[in-house]
Amino acid sequence: MRIVQQRWFTPWLFLLPGLAVVIGFNLFPFLNTVVLAFTDAKVLGGGHFTGAENFVRLVQDPAFWTAVGNSALYVVGVVPPLVILPLLLALLVERKLPGITFFRTAFFTPVIASIVVVGLIWTWLLDSRGLVNDVLRALGVLTRPIPFLTDEWLLLASAMLVTVWKGLGYYMIIYLAALGTVPKELHEAAQVDGAGWWRRLWSVTLPALRPTMVLVAVLSAVAAFRVFSEVYLLAGPAGGPGGSDTTLVMLIQQVGTGLTGDLGYSSALSVVLFVLTLGLLLATNRLNRKEDL
Amino acid sequence: MSELASEPLSTAPFAAGTPSASEAGLRSATVGRYALLLLVLAITVGPFLWQLSTSLKGVTEDIYSTPPQLFPQHPTPGNYARVADAVPIWSFALNSLLVATANVVANCLGASMAGYALARLSFRGRGAAMTVFLASLLVPFEAIMVALFLVMRSLHLSNTLAAVVLPGSIAALNVLLMRNAFLALPAAVDEAAVIDGANAWQRFTRIALPSARGTIVVVAVFSFMFSWDDFLWPLIVLSDPAKYTLTIGLSYLQGTFVNDQRLVAAGTMIAVAPLVLLFVAAQKYFFRGVGEGAVKG
């Protein structure tokens, strides 16, 4: 076999654009974030090493604890519905009934729409004079509208509702692909043994889907902890009444951008975000492995 | 998704009951299933239709009526013209289109090239290059966005569309997707081309790229969607309304004209329509992308 001699730099020419983008716009800013976290850098001037001062300030900052609390609450609020509801949807659209492709496609629509479109649609639906309150009033359930967009807790719950609504179709497709790999023989054997639909769901389907459920939990938890747009759009840039709905990413954006941006402090917050996200990943990964034993 | 296994309808020989009874049960189960499907349809697509309906209601029509008026009494496209008077929505749309197109071209080309080198060329440092791409997947965008803004500022690119495109122009996830696609090609084809004297670039463009068409379409479709839908990064890097993309323009529109939901509704319909068309045309690539992305991510 005559092999064309490959020049040593050929592969690197292929890799050059990709490596340049990933190093220049991902890894370098990441390292810079870690460095800046230990300085007093501002958008205008500054930049002296200040040791752990930003982190000391952070643990004493009530706004930080509010933000971390809201982001953590968000994870707790959206992960269980995002693990369970899309699974039920997948079971619903699994069987090949006439028109099922239409339903699968339609259920996916919220996934492709921008979060801004989705946020504005729900802002209008949940308005004090919006459709949801209107229908409830027309049914005579309410006398006064529910303050979905003005109450600090209802705002957070509404944002969670939007996240779950937008994510349903995405995780449904993941589950649907996994359902296709459940061995048919197992179902048939269980059926021969007289197991009904529920019994087969419980003893055959769910155990086979467990890794997928863990995957969905991890993906949705990491995404939920990084929530920004839903709360920003529903509660406004300031994060609801008195900033009480501000999430960690919103706080980073508020502190770090604009002419008064405090780069040092927002970098410290970013480092916390990175560590907590990675911790969430590792913890769930570990949990998964333990359960396998 | 056509290859998804579907369970045979309950025809087990040991099924209880007389044939007619089980048939009736089956029919009512099917009816129940369709009822549920329609309910979920109303929940997932209904809000979009309500927004569409609001966008078509004329200025004289009460949009706050109780009980709500589901359909516009005199449908009119007037709000679509009025929203363009309120904000330069078509120039926002053009900016979004430019950004999304650049993102698609850069990702398809850059990710294919890098993925090809990682999958089909052997060289010292391949493992290190792979590690760089994998490591970047662990860094959440939100944790580096402020530092990324500083990078753009030092490149004198802040407040430009180029700054909106660059950070995601070759996504590490796409590189890995392309690498997997190229790994799946049989080695024999490559060897034959090498014997014929084809160099790496020729093998890449003539053999590898055409065989990985499906994955390239997945990359293209998702690059378009992410770019068109992106909100946080353009919000940070763009300050001049003339440079706004649609998503930023829409949230700006809501801030200024929140009193007229008809205009906001028309704006959101303009923003969502191109993606709905793309989705209808390339539905299977969206579903495929979710599957491949989830396995990787």
Side-chain angles (χ1 to χ4, degrees), chain B residues 213-237:
Chain B
R213 248 172 315 174
T215 309
I216 294 175
V217 178
V218 168
V219 167
V221 159
F222 275 80
S223 301
F224 189 91
M225 183 177 87
F226 280 127
S227 182
W228 184 270
D229 286 352
D230 194 17
F231 178 57
L232 180 52
W233 175 237
L235 181 72
I236 287 172
V237 84

Side-chain angles (χ1 to χ4, degrees), chain B residues 62-271:
Chain B
D62 180 15
I63 56 170
Y64 299 108
S65 64
T66 308
Q69 193 71 42
L70 286 186
F71 300 101
Q73 282 161 325
H74 308 286
T76 159
N79 296 319
Y80 291 84
R82 287 202 307 130
V83 71
D85 294 336
V87 290
I89 194 141
W90 299 114
S91 104
F92 295 162
L94 182 66
N95 288 341
S96 278
L97 188 66
L98 285 174
V99 166
T101 309
N103 203 42
V104 169
V105 173
N107 267 294
C108 285
L109 206 65
S112 299
M113 282 167 59
Y116 182 76
L118 292 176
R120 309 298 288 199
L121 304 176
S122 51
F123 56 100
R124 273 175 64 112
R126 185 164 71 170
M130 188 70 189
T131 309
V132 167
F133 289 112
L134 285 172
S136 77
L137 287 180
L138 292 177
V139 181
F141 167 77
E142 293 82 354
I144 59 164
M145 60 189 185
V146 172
L148 198 52
F149 177 78
L150 297 179
V151 172
M152 292 305 163
R153 199 177 61 169
S154 56
L155 293 174
H156 302 287
L157 286 175
S158 54
N159 198 28
T160 64
L161 293 181
V164 179
V165 177
L166 277 173
S169 59
I170 302 176
L173 186 63
N174 290 337
V175 171
L176 298 176
L177 278 182
M178 290 313 303
R179 173 183 171 265
N180 281 356
F182 291 133
L183 275 180
L185 303 182
V189 192
D190 237 4
E191 281 158 14
V194 171
I195 291 165
D196 289 343
N199 65 29
W201 182 256
Q202 289 164 332
R203 279 177 280 146
F204 170 62
T205 54
R206 294 185 197 165
I207 300 169
L209 275 185
S211 330
R213 248 172 315 174
T215 309
I216 294 175
V217 178
V218 168
V219 167
V221 159
F222 275 80
S223 301
F224 189 91
M225 183 177 87
F226 280 127
S227 182
W228 184 270
D229 286 352
D230 194 17
F231 178 57
L232 180 52
W233 175 237
L235 181 72
I236 287 172
V237 84
L238 295 178
S239 49
D240 173 11
K243 305 273 173 53
Y244 279 0
T245 56
L246 257 180
T247 51
I248 310 303
L250 279 181
S251 92
Y252 172 72
L253 174 74
Q254 186 206 25
T256 39
F257 295 93
V258 73
N259 294 328
D260 199 344
Q261 285 295 342
R262 300 173 188 86
L263 293 192
V264 177
T268 53
M269 283 298 119
I270 292 171

Side-chain angles (χ1 to χ4, degrees), chain A residues 113-197:
Chain A
S114 168
I115 187 61
V116 177
V117 167
V118 169
L120 294 182
I121 287 179
W122 281 94
T123 309
W124 172 218
L125 281 171
L126 297 175
D127 191 88
S128 59
R129 296 191 288 169
L131 185 66
V132 174
N133 271 315
D134 241 13
V135 168
L136 292 177
R137 213 166 343 167
L139 292 173
V141 185
L142 296 178
T143 44
R144 261 178 306 165
I146 300 176
F148 290 111
L149 302 179
T150 42
D151 176 84
E152 78 173 91
W153 295 110
L154 278 175
L155 257 173
L156 215 51
S158 303
M160 290 177 188
L161 170 80
V162 172
T163 303
V164 171
W165 180 79
K166 193 180 187 324
L168 284 177
Y170 183 81
Y171 298 113
M172 173 189 81
I173 296 297
I174 294 182
Y175 277 124
L176 207 48
L179 278 175
T181 64
V182 177
K184 252 192 214 166
E185 298 75 35
L186 281 181
H187 269 286
E188 282 158 14
Q191 211 160 22
V192 169
D193 289 344
W197 188 83

